[in-house]
Amino acid sequence: MGGWNEMRERVVLWEDDAVLAVDKPYGLSVMGERHDTDLITMAADDGESLQWVNRIDKVTSGVVLLAKTKAAHAELTRRFAKRTVDKSYLAICRPGGFATEATIDLPLLTAGSGRVRVAAERGDIRFDEAAARWHADGDLLPRKNYPSTTECRALWDDGDDVVVLAHPVTGRRHQIRVHLAWVGHTIVGDPLFRPKSAPPAPRCHLHSLALSLDGPNGRIDVRAEPDAGFWDPVAGRLDPRELLQAV
């Protein structure tokens, strides 16, 4: 992988004196990795002090926003807390048969095992066709839960697989991954939902595509299109360039 200074040239999408936006590779943590390297530590080791603003999972690739100063970090995190940031993700899910447009409105909680799950029983999850909305039709589990909403649009669907454009309205841990799996369309290669007997997948096909928000020095609009390997599950069945022109 090399050091930060070497990687920096490849991954920087946008930069000013307060903010850095990068295209994080799959398999690299943003920060806090115990037994391996992470992006923040790599930068620090090469003399650059950065603070993460949006922290995507290690298995997720794509846009990450980093602050160069404490003041910029405070301002940007307030934007995320107030939900004034437009976030777009791409996910390749299986099976297909996804609604053309739908909202997943399912609260989340952290179970005793530490895993994030929907705060309802699977049998209580319903899809309201008139409202194009997944919701829990029944009592929620008697634990602290967090309202969580993801807006989704199917960009391509052949019945076997579907490419979903996801806009998380809230920003809960593992939100997109859990929401899509619990409504029956698990992200291909997601280790959270891989059967114990199954071999590890090459990667999880979830990608942070774009961020748009007001930054300390003006508007920030960044986009990182996925690498070729992201499209492997649907290779030969769609043209990624054509698909992304409509996004």
Side-chain angles (χ1 to χ4, degrees):
M1 184 177 294
W4 167 246
N5 289 334
E6 178 185 341
M7 187 175 74
R8 197 183 196 283
E9 298 181 6
R10 301 194 306 270
V11 301
V12 170
L13 301 166
W14 184 91
E15 181 176 11
D16 65 13
D17 61 1
V19 184
L20 187 69
V22 302
D23 181 4
K24 186 190 79 67
Y26 164 79
L28 175 65
S29 292
V30 176
M31 61 85 66
E33 188 70 14
R34 291 184 179 181
H35 305 295
D36 202 352
T37 190
D38 61 73
L39 193 153
I40 297 297
T41 302
M42 288 176 66
D45 288 346
D46 280 351
E48 186 168 10
S49 178
L50 299 169
Q51 294 177 278
W52 64 272
V53 178
N54 70 309
R55 183 180 177 182
I56 63 177
D57 295 330
K58 179 177 181 177
V59 301
T60 304
S61 56
V63 180
V64 171
L65 207 60
L66 307 168
K68 296 182 177 183
T69 68
K70 290 183 179 180
H73 182 261
E75 179 175 339
L76 292 168
T77 52
R78 281 196 298 269
R79 303 279 187 204
F80 277 82
K82 292 180 179 179
R83 302 178 187 172
T84 58
V85 181
D86 185 16
K87 299 168 285 185
S88 301
Y89 288 75
L90 288 173
I92 300 177
C93 303
R94 189 170 293 160
F98 198 86
T100 303
E101 292 193 28
T103 298
I104 304 174
D105 187 6
L106 293 170
L108 301 178
L109 61 77
T110 301
S113 62
R115 291 175 65 91
V116 178
R117 57 159 291 164
V118 168
E121 299 296 344
R122 286 185 182 271
D124 290 335
I125 296 175
R126 301 284 186 271
F127 182 65
D128 181 341
E129 293 190 12
R133 172 177 168 266
W134 274 284
H135 67 285
D137 183 18
D139 293 334
L140 298 180
L141 298 180
R143 304 175 193 172
K144 185 173 179 58
N145 63 78
Y146 301 90
S148 305
T149 304
T150 307
E151 296 176 348
C152 301
R153 176 158 61 97
L155 300 178
W156 175 91
D157 192 335
D158 71 351
D160 294 321
D161 297 285
V162 57
V163 179
V164 175
L165 180 67
H167 298 281
V169 178
T170 51
R172 313 298 181 193
R173 177 170 170 253
H174 299 330
Q175 176 177 312
I176 297 173
R177 300 166 67 185
V178 173
H179 269 176
L180 288 170
W182 277 67
V183 300
H185 300 274
T186 303
I187 297 171
V188 177
D190 189 343
L192 288 179
F193 300 98
R194 182 178 66 236
K196 292 183 179 180
S197 60
R203 69 180 289 175
C204 176
H205 294 268
L206 177 64
H207 180 80
S208 173
L209 178 67
L211 280 177
S212 182
L213 72 160
D214 290 327
N217 300 319
R219 192 70 179 170
I220 300 173
D221 293 291
V222 288
R223 175 177 168 120
E225 297 194 357
D227 63 275
F230 175 82
W231 302 103
D232 283 351
V234 291
R237 288 184 281 159
L238 63 78
D239 183 345
R241 291 171 298 180
E242 182 178 335
L243 184 82
L244 291 173
Q245 286 177 357
V247 179

